[in-house]
Amino acid sequence: MTPSNQAFSELNMNISYVEQSLYCTDDLRQQQFLLNGVQSVLLYIDSLVDQEIIQTHVLTALNGQAHSEIYPSFTTLESRKDTDLQRGIDSLIQGKCLYIVDGHPEFYILSTEKVYVRSTTEPENEGVIRGPHNGFVEQLSVNLNLIRRQIISPSLIVRYFTVGEKTHTKIAVVYLQDLANPELVNEVKERITSISSDMVLAPGFIEEFVEDNPFSLFPQQLNTERPDRVIANLMEGRVAILAEGSPSALIAPVTFFAFYQSPDDYHGRWIVSSFLRLIRMMSFIIAFTLPAVYIATISFHSAILPIELAHTIKKSLQNIPFPALVEAMLLELISS
């Protein structure tokens, strides 16, 4: 291979180069052709291309080419020839497809990007003031398209799995090859492949199987319907898990502080975003400790209160037939 990434004359070497550059991602597809006695291949990423365009324009041109032509005439489709495989790979992850012919160090780049008519509206429970107003939908290919449109990099890897002995749910594990910890990626893959269940319908099912402590009351993975939030976490070296038929994505691993970070924080200035996160943390600490301070003060340390305040509180408690502990618990239950 020359320094300019010049394409090989051998077809198999070109295919191998593309596969290795994309780390053999599972959504890379190839269709072999034998036209006019010459072997050729069509390469594309199925989560980014429009299958109707490929069937109508690409395959029609391949099947209708003249016997004297080496390359078909893609007159109904925007196309160009190139000899740089790296540019071809960059085109692949943008939704285009490559047509490579054996024995020729040049190939076609065809515009087959998929454009979705259905609107990917913003999730109601994760609305933002600044930032994109779109969200995941129930189609896995659409969700992968939303992610790949923002991370245009060959190191973005998609691994497909099928779980559920009856439902055969398609699962996609998404990560960045050069940022994610390989041990983390392997652990996620092992836990998903070890799932043994008749029914797996949503990431909520997967979460119960892959989390460290199944009986913990606290969440151990972040659930979101926003592509920008998934993208931000992928850029931080985390792994995203998506499932066919669900608009939610799981992000792992996460820390306690990740649950107090809003999607708005990614689109604001760091000073303002940090201040807002600090307010959320202070609110949590106050909500968590204030009932305990109230019970301890009223029941055991009322002497620290000013006399006027102590008398006022004592009078207000005379008509309450419950101790301070039960009162605080009822208050927490009603407020929640």
Side-chain angles (χ1 to χ4, degrees):
M1 174 62 68
T2 63
S4 61
N5 297 318
Q6 181 75 21
F8 297 97
S9 296
E10 293 82 0
L11 179 62
N12 291 333
M13 296 182 67
N14 288 325
I15 297 175
S16 177
Y17 182 87
V18 173
E19 290 179 338
Q20 292 178 10
S21 298
L22 295 177
Y23 301 96
C24 298
T25 178
D26 288 350
D27 55 352
L28 177 64
R29 296 286 184 264
Q30 55 176 290
Q31 294 188 25
Q32 300 280 348
F33 299 92
L34 183 61
L35 302 176
N36 301 327
V38 180
Q39 192 74 25
S40 60
V41 67
L42 185 70
L43 298 174
Y44 59 89
I45 297 177
D46 65 350
S47 59
L48 293 177
V49 301
D50 191 328
Q51 294 289 346
E52 184 176 353
I53 293 178
I54 290 179
Q55 293 291 334
T56 304
H57 300 280
V58 179
L59 298 183
T60 300
L62 290 174
N63 294 329
Q65 66 173 328
H67 292 284
S68 60
E69 294 179 350
I70 298 177
Y71 285 96
S73 178
F74 298 103
T75 57
T76 59
L77 198 64
E78 181 182 351
S79 61
R80 62 183 175 89
K81 287 184 179 181
D82 206 329
T83 58
D84 194 321
L85 274 178
Q86 186 57 49
R87 281 199 295 266
I89 293 170
D90 293 338
S91 300
L92 274 177
I93 59 179
Q94 293 175 6
K96 298 178 174 61
C97 66
L98 305 183
Y99 179 69
I100 308 175
V101 178
D102 188 24
H104 297 271
E106 59 181 7
F107 52 88
Y108 264 114
I109 298 178
L110 309 175
S111 296
T112 55
E113 301 93 329
K114 188 167 188 176
V115 179
Y116 293 99
V117 178
R118 182 174 177 272
S119 176
T120 53
T121 57
E122 183 178 20
E124 295 182 0
N125 60 337
E126 292 183 275
V128 296
I129 299 176
R130 300 179 63 179
H133 296 278
N134 60 354
F136 288 138
V137 294
E138 287 72 21
Q139 289 179 274
L140 181 59
S141 59
V142 177
N143 298 337
L144 294 175
N145 180 279
L146 293 173
I147 295 175
R148 280 197 177 275
R149 289 294 181 187
Q150 296 296 319
I151 304 181
I152 306 177
S153 170
S155 62
L156 179 64
I157 309 303
V158 177
R159 298 299 182 196
Y160 288 133
F161 300 88
T162 302
V163 295
E165 297 179 4
K166 300 297 183 182
T167 58
H168 298 288
T169 304
K170 190 176 184 180
I171 304 296
V173 176
V174 187
Y175 60 94
L176 284 166
Q177 177 72 23
D178 51 354
L179 294 180
N181 188 336
E183 295 181 0
L184 167 65
V185 175
N186 292 333
E187 183 67 23
V188 171
K189 292 179 182 178
E190 290 178 2
R191 295 191 183 189
I192 290 179
T193 53
S194 64
I195 294 176
S196 178
S197 177
D198 289 341
M199 180 179 64
V200 177
L201 297 179
F205 286 76
I206 304 171
E207 183 178 7
E208 297 180 1
F209 286 106
V210 302
E211 61 187 2
D212 290 329
N213 301 301
F215 299 102
S216 174
L217 298 178
F218 302 97
Q220 301 164 58
Q221 299 173 48
L222 182 62
N223 193 305
T224 182
E225 296 182 24
R226 295 192 59 87
D228 57 337
R229 200 173 190 183
V230 171
I231 290 167
N233 282 276
L234 289 176
M235 298 299 294
E236 294 175 2
R238 296 186 175 92
V239 176
I241 304 174
L242 300 93
E244 185 72 55
S246 174
S248 300
L250 291 177
I251 299 173
V254 293
T255 62
F256 172 79
F257 300 98
F259 295 96
Y260 286 88
Q261 188 166 1
S262 169
D264 269 316
D265 296 342
Y266 295 108
H267 306 287
R269 299 178 64 241
W270 71 270
I271 298 179
V272 178
S273 299
S274 300
F275 177 70
L276 293 175
R277 284 196 295 270
L278 181 61
I279 291 179
R280 297 188 198 107
M281 290 302 303
M282 292 177 60
S283 302
F284 165 76
I285 294 173
I286 292 173
F288 188 74
T289 60
L290 193 58
V293 173
Y294 171 77
I295 295 171
T297 302
I298 296 301
S299 302
F300 306 102
H301 304 284
S302 58
I304 66 175
L305 298 173
I307 297 177
E308 295 81 3
L309 180 59
H311 286 304
T312 302
I313 295 177
K314 185 177 180 180
K315 291 179 181 179
S316 65
L317 294 177
Q318 288 178 350
N319 298 324
I320 299 178
F322 302 107
L325 175 60
V326 178
E327 178 189 358
M329 293 180 63
L330 290 174
L331 179 62
E332 289 285 347
L333 181 62
I334 293 173
S335 61
S336 62

